[in-house]
Amino acid sequence: MKIENTTDFPDYFLRRMTSWCLKQHECPVRELKTATFRNRSGSTYSGRCYWWERRIVCSIPRNPVCGGLEFRINKLLRATAHETAHIMLYATGSRTRVSRRHGGRVSMGGSEHETCRHEGYVYNTFAERRNELIAAWMTPPARIARAAASGANN
């Protein structure tokens, strides 16, 4: 999975969190090609799933003053869990959403109600293991840690 990131979270954190969300949905990570994470003004979060491209975009509040790091991680996880649920529902062939905009055709990716239910499940699982998961996701990969250590020795 390719990560496109303009937030202050490290790429390895976002990759691990997104992979964990997909695994909670029992969806293979290979179903998602690209995950884009970006900042937005205000205190709300948003997301978009382009299921035909197997791509998600998650936007989270830029301002850490509006709730701090914990607030931003909660919003990030909720947006990611929601959009990965759309990917999972598309991958499993869910055709529950009727699009009024496109002449009443049944579209892919599940209904928003169904997606929000899956998002809530993932968020509740995260809330139970919050500190453990964040610590694991924030641990730099071995190659980065080795490079930092060798740079410090020089």
Side-chain angles (χ1 to χ4, degrees), residues 2 68 89 107 118 139:
K2 180 179 176 186
L89 291 169
S107 64
H118 287 285
T139 304

Side-chain angles (χ1 to χ4, degrees), residues 93-124:
S94 177
R95 299 172 186 256
T96 59
R97 183 173 49 185
V98 175
S99 174
R100 291 188 200 107
R101 193 178 343 171
H102 300 291
R105 292 184 311 203
V106 176
S107 64
M108 302 288 287
S111 67
E112 284 302 307
H113 178 76
E114 186 177 13
T115 306
C116 288
R117 185 172 54 81
H118 287 285
E119 169 196 340
Y121 166 76
V122 171
Y123 184 78
N124 291 338

Side-chain angles (χ1 to χ4, degrees), residues 30-51:
R30 70 177 178 272
E31 291 296 336
L32 182 62
K33 280 187 178 178
T34 307
T36 303
F37 298 94
R38 58 187 182 196
N39 293 312
R40 72 178 284 145
S41 58
S43 62
T44 60
Y45 64 97
S46 68
R48 175 79 190 205
C49 175
Y50 300 92
W51 53 263

Side-chain angles (χ1 to χ4, degrees), residues 33-75:
K33 280 187 178 178
T34 307
T36 303
F37 298 94
R38 58 187 182 196
N39 293 312
R40 72 178 284 145
S41 58
S43 62
T44 60
Y45 64 97
S46 68
R48 175 79 190 205
C49 175
Y50 300 92
W51 53 263
W52 58 93
E53 296 175 2
R54 295 185 351 206
R55 176 171 73 100
I56 63 170
V57 177
C58 299
S59 301
I60 59 166
R62 173 182 296 126
N63 187 357
V65 175
C66 63
L69 183 62
E70 184 174 330
F71 176 81
R72 293 185 74 216
I73 289 174
N74 285 343
K75 299 299 183 188

Side-chain angles (χ1 to χ4, degrees), residues 4 13 21 24 66 69 75 77 80 86 110-112 128 131:
E4 296 173 353
F13 173 87
C21 287
Q24 294 306 303
C66 63
L69 183 62
K75 299 299 183 188
L77 188 97
T80 306
H86 278 301
S111 67
E112 284 302 307
E128 292 171 3
N131 294 334

